[in-house]
Amino acid sequence: MAGDAMPTFCIPENHCGTHAPVWLNGSHPLEGDGIVQRQACASFSGNCCLWNTTVEVKACPGGYYVYRLTKPSVCFHVYCGHFYDICDEDCHGSCLDTSGCTCSPGTVLGPDRQTCFDENECEQNNGGCSEICVNLKNSYRCECGVGRVLRSDGKTCEDIEGCHNKNGGCSHSCLMSEKGYQCECPRGLVLSEDNHTCQVPVFCKSNTIEVSIPRDLVGGLELFLTNTSCRGVSNGTHVNILFSLKTCGTVVDVVNDKIVASNLVTGLPKQTPGSSGDIIIRTSKLLIPVTCEFPRLYTISEGYVPNLRNTPLEIMSRSHGIFPFTLEIFKDHEFEEPYREALPTLKLRDSLYFGIEPLVHVNGLESLVESCFATPTSKIDEILKYYLIRDGCVSDDSVKQYTSRDHLAKHFQVPVFKFVGKDHKEVFLHCRVLVCGMLDERSRCAQGCHRRMRREAVGRENDSGPQSQMLTGGPISIDWED
């Protein structure tokens, strides 16, 4: 009942029995191509690819396809099927002779020698478009980024010069000024990073996600999340919804270089007037996708013993998310009691128990300690350094790793050591941690120990990046003369 295959052209919203239909952004493979990866796009709010994910497709003998589809993160993402046209002339016999089968312009004959599949013009030179090419059924169209508009040739783009042209590309208000024009938002909404689109403010923290929706936008609607027991609370001017990465049906995925937490705010008409005086509604349904992004890669540093003045590592991502880790020094191999009140003196014959600890425990994620190295100072770029872990591999045979119930936590034991020289009485540890999805069998975390070229490894160590911050503690004196 789903049809012959997934559509390879943009499906408008409110089709396929849902609000945001998902279509295949790319051509189907040939049988000899084996399993290929394709982008799947969800159409919503006039954008043919507002969300996207990666799926796998294989062409099988007999002229049909098999798909491995990523589980949708929200309920209104639904994969589409499509009934394609059949060629004009019936095939006879084995159907190997295709001379009698002709397909209309914009379509190509499929592997079953009868079905006319859509031809993706965007795969050839981006359809001639200077920016965005959107494949349509038997055709295609060119689009431009936010704040730009198509020229008369229908392929190239130019900047919008004022509010008179498509409202300046603004989603709401467009105001002219001496320097040109600017977009403004109604009270309670904020301007997104593209400086043209107004959106509901979302506050992303490691332990909470808060959505604040203006009451004027809500009207007489009741707001709730994917788990309908999580509902909005009005403070008179806004309806606020507070939840976490582990509650209210929040889905946590790893996408490229980010950890993405998503949920959906749905608004439906109230059955009875509320105490806040809402007696009318202005829309029959409200859908607000909520997304928080957190970076995957973290660099954390610590002396042999944590300093109580240290604060948890908080790394700001482009969309305001933080996902904190700390490096703890523990008293024994149980890894339950870290040093908190004093900085003990460790002897060379002692064992050092240290661990990477997440401050937020989220199911479905795991971590990989890509590297850990020691330096005699707190500087991460110190020339003198000693590796304990490198490229996910133990570099020092004396390092012992313990198993942990939490897949994000990593625990290690190593004999206490110091750097050669009377002046080197302090040791600092620096670790790089990568977060992956547990179900991704091809992730870097799943690969574990992975030897790479030294130049690449050194390059990554020196790449502090805009999303990295240092958490430095200690030091302590090492009793090495005894």
Side-chain angles (χ1 to χ4, degrees):
M1 294 300 295
D4 304 302
M6 282 188 66
T8 55
F9 48 86
C10 177
I11 301 295
E13 62 183 289
N14 296 325
H15 282 71
C16 300
T18 188
H19 297 288
V22 181
W23 56 282
L24 195 67
N25 189 13
S27 297
H28 281 87
L30 301 175
E31 185 177 336
D33 294 336
I35 300 175
V36 301
Q37 290 188 337
R38 293 288 186 264
Q39 183 189 58
C41 288
S43 305
F44 192 72
S45 189
N47 189 332
C48 284
C49 201
L50 189 57
W51 301 281
N52 69 81
T53 187
T54 300
V55 300
E56 294 182 340
V57 190
K58 177 179 174 61
C60 295
Y64 63 93
Y65 302 98
V66 172
Y67 304 87
R68 185 190 299 275
L69 303 178
T70 305
K71 183 180 179 180
S73 58
V74 292
C75 63
F76 65 93
H77 285 177
V78 174
Y79 290 96
C80 286
H82 183 69
F83 284 100
Y84 287 90
D85 295 331
I86 303 299
C87 64
D88 292 340
E89 299 291 333
D90 291 334
C91 293
H92 302 284
S94 64
C95 290
L96 294 178
D97 180 13
T98 62
S99 59
C101 292
T102 58
C103 293
S104 59
T107 62
V108 294
L109 195 64
D112 63 354
R113 307 299 181 184
Q114 281 190 297
T115 306
C116 293
F117 285 93
D118 181 76
E119 180 181 9
N120 193 334
E121 294 87 352
C122 294
E123 291 186 333
Q124 297 294 329
N125 193 31
N126 199 39
C129 304
S130 63
E131 293 191 11
I132 303 171
C133 181
V134 178
N135 192 46
L136 306 174
K137 185 177 181 181
N138 302 348
S139 182
Y140 72 102
R141 72 167 180 259
C142 298
E143 294 183 351
C144 301
V146 175
R148 293 168 61 79
V149 66
L150 275 176
R151 288 178 173 155
S152 57
D153 61 6
K155 293 182 178 294
T156 57
C157 301
E158 62 183 0
D159 291 332
I160 296 177
E161 297 180 351
C163 298
H164 63 279
N165 193 345
K166 294 190 175 180
N167 196 41
C170 304
S171 64
H172 289 73
S173 300
C174 181
L175 298 179
M176 295 298 298
S177 64
E178 295 181 357
K179 297 181 180 180
Y181 74 97
Q182 63 183 24
C183 301
E184 289 194 350
C185 299
R187 185 180 64 179
L189 299 183
V190 295
L191 204 60
S192 65
E193 293 179 354
D194 63 18
N195 291 323
H196 287 76
T197 307
C198 297
Q199 62 183 24
V200 171
V202 179
F203 306 97
C204 302
K205 298 181 180 180
S206 58
N207 56 349
T208 59
I209 299 174
E210 183 177 2
V211 185
S212 182
I213 305 171
R215 182 182 165 190
D216 294 342
L217 186 64
V218 176
L221 301 181
E222 177 130 24
L223 301 185
F224 51 85
L225 292 170
T226 301
N227 182 337
T228 57
S229 63
C230 300
R231 296 179 176 267
V233 178
S234 176
N235 63 5
T237 61
H238 292 74
V239 176
N240 299 315
I241 305 180
L242 195 67
F243 58 103
S244 74
L245 298 178
K246 299 188 293 183
T247 61
C248 300
T250 305
V251 176
V252 180
D253 290 316
V254 175
V255 181
N256 298 326
D257 61 343
K258 292 182 176 63
I259 305 167
V260 180
S262 57
N263 210 312
L264 176 69
V265 177
T266 302
L268 293 177
K270 296 178 180 179
Q271 299 301 314
T272 57
S275 58
S276 58
D278 296 318
I279 59 175
I280 65 170
I281 60 174
R282 300 186 184 276
T283 181
S284 61
K285 191 170 187 179
L286 183 66
L287 295 174
I288 303 176
V290 177
T291 300
C292 282
E293 295 180 352
F294 306 85
R296 289 180 61 195
L297 188 62
Y298 299 87
T299 302
I300 52 179
S301 303
E302 182 59 281
Y304 258 358
V305 175
N307 188 328
L308 289 180
R309 292 174 297 177
N310 287 344
T311 56
L313 171 67
E314 294 186 351
I315 299 180
M316 302 300 295
S317 75
R318 187 167 55 90
S319 53
H320 320 296
I322 54 174
F323 198 84
F325 285 90
T326 59
L327 199 162
E328 299 281 11
I329 308 298
F330 294 90
K331 295 183 177 181
D332 53 40
H333 66 277
E334 297 293 335
F335 297 96
E336 293 181 354
E337 186 178 0
Y339 286 104
R340 293 295 188 192
E341 298 178 357
L343 303 178
T345 298
L346 297 180
K347 301 179 181 294
L348 289 181
R349 58 176 174 266
D350 293 337
S351 289
L352 171 67
Y353 301 96
F354 69 97
I356 308 298
E357 294 290 324
L359 296 190
V360 178
H361 303 273
V362 181
N363 294 330
L365 298 179
E366 62 179 344
S367 67
L368 171 71
V369 179
E370 282 197 319
S371 67
C372 272
F373 59 91
T375 60
T377 71
S378 60
K379 296 180 179 179
I380 192 173
D381 57 353
E382 175 74 49
I383 296 178
L384 184 61
K385 60 178 62 174
Y386 181 75
Y387 276 91
L388 301 174
I389 300 170
R390 196 170 195 171
D391 301 329
C393 309
V394 173
S395 301
D396 185 325
D397 292 338
S398 65
V399 176
K400 178 181 178 181
Q401 181 171 356
Y402 289 76
T403 58
S404 173
R405 292 187 297 270
D406 190 333
H407 292 280
L408 285 174
K410 301 297 179 184
H411 297 147
F412 301 93
Q413 174 188 350
V414 65
V416 170
F417 60 90
K418 71 175 291 293
F419 286 91
V420 175
K422 292 184 178 180
D423 295 335
H424 296 152
K425 298 181 180 180
E426 302 167 355
V427 175
F428 293 80
L429 294 178
H430 313 272
C431 298
R432 290 179 69 89
V433 185
L434 182 68
V435 180
C436 309
M438 287 186 59
L439 300 181
D440 186 358
E441 299 177 353
R442 294 174 296 184
S443 71
R444 176 68 187 91
C445 298
Q447 296 173 12
C449 178
H450 183 201
R451 299 291 183 186
R452 294 178 295 179
M453 294 180 61
R454 179 176 176 82
R455 179 178 300 176
E456 180 184 352
V458 172
R460 292 196 63 180
E461 289 157 12
N462 294 334
D463 179 20
S464 60
Q467 296 178 337
S468 296
Q469 295 180 10
M470 288 297 136
L471 178 64
T472 303
I476 65 168
S477 299
I478 301 175
D479 184 359
W480 60 279
E481 295 180 350
D482 183 7

